[in-house]
Amino acid sequence: MLGHSPATPYTGTVNQTPAPLPDAPDYLQRLNPEQRMAIETTDGPLLVLAGAGTGKTRVLTTRFAHILLSGRARPYQILAVTFTNKAAREMRERIGTLLGEPVEGLWLGTFHALCARMLRRHAEYVGLSSGFTILDTDDQLRLLKQVIEPLRIDSKRWPPQGILGVIQRWKDRGLTPERVTPAEDCDFADGRCRAIYASYQARLVQLNACDFGDLMLHVTEILRTRPDVLAQYHRLFRYILVDEYQDTNTIQYLWLRLLAQREGQQSNICCVGDDDQSIYSWRGAEVENILRFERDFPGAAIVRLERNYRSTAQILGAASGLIAHNDGRLGKTLRPGRDDASGEKVRVASVWDSDDEARLVGEEVERLRAGGHRMSEIAILVRAGFQTRAFEERLIALGLPYRVVGGLRFYERAEIRDALAYMRVLNQPADDLAFERIVNVPRRGIGAVAMQKFHQAARDAGIPLTAAIGTMLERGEIKGKARDSLAALLNNLAQGREALPREGHVVVVDRLLEESGYIDMWKADTSIEAPGRLDNLKELVRALADFDSLGHFLEHVALVMENEESAGAERLSIMTLHGAKGLEFDTVFLPGWEEGVFPSQRTLDEGGLKGLEEERRLAYVGITRARHRAIISHAASRRIYGNWQSAMPSRFIEELPDEYVTTTGAASQTRSRGLGQAPVFSSAFPVTARRPRATDSADKGESRSGTALTVGTRVFHQKFGYGTVSSVEGNRLDVAFDKAGSKRLLDSFVEKAP
DNA sequence: GGATCGCTGATTTTT
DNA sequence: TCAGCGATCC
């Protein structure tokens, strides 16, 4: 495998560093030789291994501009793929800046957005029509439940989410129902997943809809089976650029390979990625894709970007030392791009518990703020969501402005989903899932029983729900309140649809939301959230005006679905390590580096090396987010699911090279001085609030310094109370506590019982 | 249709 | 511990 031969830095078609020509165009000035190589090696397959902070985005965008400006291709002949909308947007903007004007008609976007665009052109090949709806997670699940229901599957044992997960994983691997072999289908839902998958797909076609996975799956299937369509794209795309290649899953890989491998021509595909930052295997990403690049594209050139312009030498040293513990890497060492001998060492702080940890971080943030540090340049990066709470509480208490990144998104709010459902039915009357969502919102006296009847009628006649209800109304088969309210709703929708070309989508949607009573429903709501929801709805209608049609708007929402938050606000960010990928901050806090938290308990339980290495990459990503200052912390005891558990420092802490790290608190004692010391809280973190517990223990600890603990010794722990030492292993103890049971902990957190 | 009770299970998340 | 869910009751 490629990973075992990382010796040659550059292979294949390129072996000379282009000399920085004095007459090189402006946009190529002030790039380092590796970057120039990555940009100027335009033809033939190229893998750019771009370490954290090595100017990856700059290379990608400059390469794009270079291909255009050197006359190698027209803008629409370059396919540029990213994972997130944010990355796509950033690329588009920077290309515009480089070229001096915004460029139109680019094939630049996320895998899914590009596939949606392609699928609209060829939808008929997979039984859809070009106006198909893209379902969100909610709809997917609802649809799947409908499919499962008649099968009488025990939803306790086999939750629909689980089945949906199986289906999605198949889709990630490029498996249509026909391609799933019976052998693959036995582990879940008594071997009926394959059948469920098939009927789920059939229902989607009936609804003229597809889910997210289908965007990739359908297009790949078309490219696989329609040589004429494939040839068309081969002729179109002369160059392909891929960002974050290490995150591609199998279907994305297949899609790229189909587009790149052209009969009788070389593949001008350039993939940029970093195997050390692959942290999404649990989502189907295959690091193998990047490790295998040379085999897939023979004659591929490889360029390594290793000069890091982001972080201090100390931070890079710590991160590099850590990631060196992983096997099977493509091999890459970050070198400081600038001279930064004055940089601070990475700090590792030991604390008692999560409250202490939050207090420590809060104090340090206050200190930084007082020193003029920008709040938006500080981040607290956690492994998992539950860790954020302690920090939030502390920051609120201190009055420090923060935001938790990655909470509920705009599109996930109930009122936005409702309003979108109204628009979807307006746009496509056959959208049963959307109709179901709104039929009784606001209340129209339609219960489960009535819906059952409508469904039956629609199924029998083979028509959409709205059509079936329309027929039933005409025949007088619906009575009472339901009759009037449904007639009014269908009337609103029909009139809106008819008025659409005349009055425009903004006016029509606005009126539909008003006349259907949806807006009134929230006006009548007395809860505190209601005004906010009305604001959101106004915002949504306002956003409509940015699009030339309802269809385009819905497409955008389905694919982009993100919350455009007020940027630039002076707040520190709390987010997960995953969420921080691609970002950078002056100061980064990395709390919770404990066995069982980071690496996570689940990874430890699985016991595999792969999982652990991914956690280590996550740690690497965390450290490399910091420009100037990284502060790692670990607590000796943490409350997990309601009870206190003692925690060992993360193995990743031990893996940091000593010369780049300074430790404060208990870890420093255990790392360098060994047994018998109580936690000492470093003066590096000036204590403003009094911490009686910690201080007490430190004092007592010092008074008995030098006393070795042996098996049978009676000890006292601040949280667990009294206990007896049952084994000693270096500085690690097993203690049988009288009340709290048996725990494993660092000797420095207990003291000899009086 | 809405409130209440008890059970369960609890990383990481984009599109 | 505690939120989120489904079942149950009014």
Side-chain angles (χ1 to χ4, degrees):
Chain A
M1 189 180 304
L2 194 64
H4 300 302
S5 57
T8 13
Y10 315 115
T11 59
T13 53
V14 176
N15 37 42
Q16 279 185 347
T17 304
L21 304 167
D23 60 341
D26 239 18
Y27 61 89
L28 290 179
Q29 303 289 347
R30 281 186 294 160
L31 290 160
N32 68 38
E34 298 80 38
Q35 293 175 328
R36 291 268 316 250
M37 178 105 63
I39 291 161
E40 296 181 77
T41 309
T42 48
D43 289 19
L46 172 70
L47 177 63
V48 179
L49 294 171
T54 54
K56 180 194 71 168
T57 310
R58 184 163 180 212
V59 163
L60 266 172
T61 52
T62 312
R63 182 183 169 89
F64 195 108
H66 179 64
I67 290 169
L68 291 183
L69 294 170
S70 60
R72 285 179 167 83
R74 311 281 308 144
Y76 53 85
Q77 291 171 322
I78 306 174
L79 177 69
V81 202
T82 65
F83 269 85
T84 63
N85 291 298
K86 203 174 148 209
R89 205 185 314 124
E90 195 180 331
M91 239 178 111
R92 187 179 298 272
E93 278 163 16
R94 287 174 68 165
I95 289 168
T97 310
L98 277 171
L99 299 178
E101 57 181 358
V103 254
E104 301 286 313
L106 298 183
W107 283 89
L108 186 164
T110 62
F111 278 100
H112 295 273
L114 292 166
C115 278
R117 188 164 154 196
M118 290 181 174
L119 191 56
R120 299 251 178 241
R121 298 176 155 195
H122 316 290
E124 71 280 8
Y125 291 137
V126 288
L128 298 172
S129 77
S130 145
F132 62 80
T133 307
I134 301 167
L135 301 187
D136 61 26
T137 328
D138 250 27
D139 293 326
Q140 282 179 51
L141 200 59
R142 240 163 344 119
L143 185 64
L144 186 72
K145 280 180 184 163
Q146 290 175 12
V147 170
I148 294 173
E149 203 171 10
L151 300 176
R152 309 216 169 280
I153 281 173
D154 181 2
S155 65
K156 281 259 160 60
R157 227 160 95 77
W158 309 114
Q161 283 100 328
I163 299 174
L164 195 60
V166 171
I167 293 175
Q168 257 156 1
R169 257 170 280 141
W170 279 335
K171 288 186 176 181
D172 283 345
R173 289 170 50 208
L175 299 174
T176 56
E178 304 78 55
R179 288 178 193 266
V180 176
T181 61
E184 291 214 59
D185 180 26
C186 40
D187 41 350
F188 212 83
D190 307 326
R192 282 187 285 180
C193 279
R194 208 162 123 252
I196 296 170
Y197 179 21
S199 39
Y200 172 76
Q201 291 303 98
R203 270 297 280 155
L204 282 170
V205 170
Q206 277 173 13
L207 291 167
N208 193 29
C210 67
D211 65 21
F212 254 95
D214 284 339
L215 294 173
M216 296 279 341
L217 188 71
H218 285 325
V219 172
T220 307
E221 197 59 21
I222 292 167
L223 296 178
R224 280 208 258 214
T225 54
R226 292 276 163 176
D228 51 321
V229 177
L230 183 60
Q232 186 186 322
Y233 286 108
H234 280 168
R235 260 177 271 122
L236 180 64
F237 298 135
R238 297 200 183 170
Y239 292 92
I240 299 177
L241 299 180
V242 188
D243 190 15
E244 306 276 19
Y245 190 58
Q246 78 283 351
D247 286 338
T248 48
N249 61 29
T250 303
I251 185 90
Q252 289 159 340
Y253 162 79
L254 291 172
W255 182 80
L256 282 171
R257 210 180 56 177
L258 279 163
L259 290 171
Q261 292 182 338
R262 300 179 294 175
E263 192 80 26
Q265 289 181 67
Q266 62 181 350
S267 303
N268 295 329
I269 183 170
C270 168
C271 295
V272 181
D274 180 358
D275 50 317
D276 290 334
Q277 291 188 67
S278 159
I279 54 174
Y280 283 111
S281 71
W282 50 275
R283 217 164 63 182
E286 300 272 349
V287 208
E288 297 303 315
N289 292 345
I290 195 168
L291 301 176
R292 212 177 41 207
F293 188 82
E294 268 187 323
R295 256 193 293 153
D296 289 328
F297 299 100
I302 299 184
V303 173
R304 289 181 165 77
L305 303 181
E306 299 177 303
R307 280 191 227 190
N308 174 297
Y309 300 97
R310 176 190 296 160
S311 310
T312 64
Q314 308 274 8
I315 288 166
L316 293 179
S320 298
L322 177 72
I323 200 66
H325 285 83
N326 272 5
D327 282 334
R329 302 169 57 216
L330 285 173
K332 194 167 24 60
T333 313
L334 289 183
R335 296 190 306 267
R338 56 191 150 104
D339 193 26
D340 220 337
S342 59
E344 286 177 30
K345 290 189 175 189
V346 171
R347 276 187 257 169
V348 174
S350 299
V351 294
W352 262 116
D353 56 30
S354 49
D355 293 337
D356 255 352
E357 190 174 52
R359 213 171 293 142
L360 173 96
V361 171
E363 281 158 12
E364 185 72 357
V365 171
E366 274 190 319
R367 206 177 63 83
L368 291 168
R369 183 145 106 139
H373 197 302
R374 289 184 55 188
M375 292 296 279
S376 57
E377 282 300 338
I378 301 175
I380 302 172
L381 307 183
V382 295
R383 173 70 248 265
F386 71 83
Q387 292 171 265
T388 62
R389 214 169 93 179
F391 296 104
E392 285 194 72
E393 282 170 7
R394 193 65 206 146
L395 293 169
I396 289 170
L398 293 170
L400 294 168
Y402 71 92
R403 65 185 173 140
V404 179
V405 181
L408 248 204
R409 273 174 231 108
F410 189 67
Y411 75 96
E412 281 173 329
R413 291 158 211 254
E415 70 276 15
I416 298 302
R417 293 197 135 154
D418 289 341
L420 287 172
Y422 272 98
M423 294 184 215
R424 276 166 53 185
V425 182
L426 191 64
N427 189 50
Q428 202 186 237
D431 193 335
D432 283 2
L433 289 164
F435 183 73
E436 270 178 83
R437 184 176 179 105
I438 56 153
V439 67
N440 207 28
V441 181
R443 306 250 172 270
R444 295 191 177 90
I446 319 291
V449 185
M451 276 313 287
Q452 210 64 51
K453 254 192 281 177
F454 300 156
H455 266 299
Q456 190 62 50
R459 244 196 316 272
D460 291 347
I463 53 175
L465 279 172
T466 44
I469 293 172
T471 313
M472 289 172 80
L473 282 170
E474 278 168 28
R475 295 196 194 138
E477 290 170 6
I478 304 170
K479 302 252 159 359
K481 193 187 162 197
R483 184 192 60 201
D484 299 339
S485 59
L486 280 173
L489 177 63
L490 291 191
N491 191 32
N492 288 155
L493 287 164
Q495 280 188 352
R497 216 167 284 133
E498 184 261 329
L500 217 39
R502 246 184 308 113
E503 302 179 43
H505 55 293
V506 183
V507 176
V508 170
V509 167
D510 197 33
R511 192 173 55 219
L512 177 64
L513 293 179
E514 281 288 349
E515 290 184 350
S516 63
Y518 188 70
I519 295 283
D520 288 337
M521 180 184 92
W522 288 116
K523 282 187 179 158
D525 193 303
T526 54
S527 67
I528 32 166
E529 298 106 50
R533 292 183 193 272
L534 285 165
D535 283 345
N536 289 338
L537 288 167
K538 266 192 211 132
E539 177 59 37
L540 188 70
V541 174
R542 204 177 314 131
L544 264 176
D546 297 337
F547 293 82
D548 54 10
S549 77
L550 189 56
H552 285 150
F553 174 75
L554 290 172
E555 173 93 348
H556 171 82
V557 171
L559 291 170
V560 175
M561 287 182 160
E562 65 184 16
N563 190 4
E564 271 144 54
E565 265 198 65
S566 52
E570 273 305 310
R571 300 161 168 204
L572 76 84
S573 301
I574 305 176
M575 62 178 105
T576 63
L577 288 158
H578 283 93
K581 195 172 125 186
L583 305 177
E584 53 186 290
F585 304 88
D586 284 338
T587 298
V588 168
F589 291 93
L590 299 160
W593 281 41
E594 295 136 36
E595 292 288 301
V597 176
F598 189 33
S600 73
Q601 192 55 49
R602 230 195 244 193
T603 305
L604 294 177
D605 292 345
E606 284 164 10
L609 189 66
K610 273 186 82 178
L612 198 65
E613 293 206 334
E614 181 147 321
E615 295 278 304
R616 191 177 284 114
R617 290 194 290 270
L618 199 49
Y620 172 78
V621 166
I623 298 174
T624 53
R625 297 311 94 196
R627 292 197 196 97
H628 301 302
R629 197 174 294 109
I631 299 156
I632 294 166
S633 52
H634 76 93
S637 50
R638 188 172 291 272
R639 196 152 53 164
I640 293 169
Y641 307 146
N643 41 27
W644 288 96
Q645 307 214 316
S646 73
M648 301 300 297
S650 168
R651 66 194 69 194
F652 301 147
I653 290 178
E654 283 176 34
E655 291 171 3
L656 299 168
D658 281 335
E659 64 262 44
Y660 303 115
V661 173
T662 166
T663 51
T664 61
S668 64
Q669 321 297 318
T670 59
R671 275 166 70 91
S672 52
R673 267 173 271 166
L675 273 173
Q677 297 276 326
V680 175
F681 290 85
S682 160
S683 54
F685 303 106
V687 180
T688 50
R690 183 160 158 70
R691 276 178 292 183
R693 249 189 300 112
T695 312
D696 284 350
S697 122
D699 293 345
K700 283 179 199 161
E702 272 158 33
S703 67
R704 63 148 177 87
S705 66
T707 314
L709 297 169
T710 53
V711 174
T713 310
R714 288 288 288 168
V715 292
F716 178 75
H717 183 278
Q718 289 293 336
K719 283 256 148 51
F720 307 134
Y722 289 95
T724 309
V725 176
S726 55
S727 87
V728 183
E729 203 188 299
N731 55 1
R732 297 173 180 209
L733 305 176
D734 282 322
V735 181
F737 288 102
D738 302 347
K739 298 237 170 67
S742 193
K743 306 277 178 196
R744 165 163 291 210
L745 29 77
L746 283 183
D747 61 355
S748 48
F749 285 104
V750 297
E751 58 199 69
K752 216 167 171 178

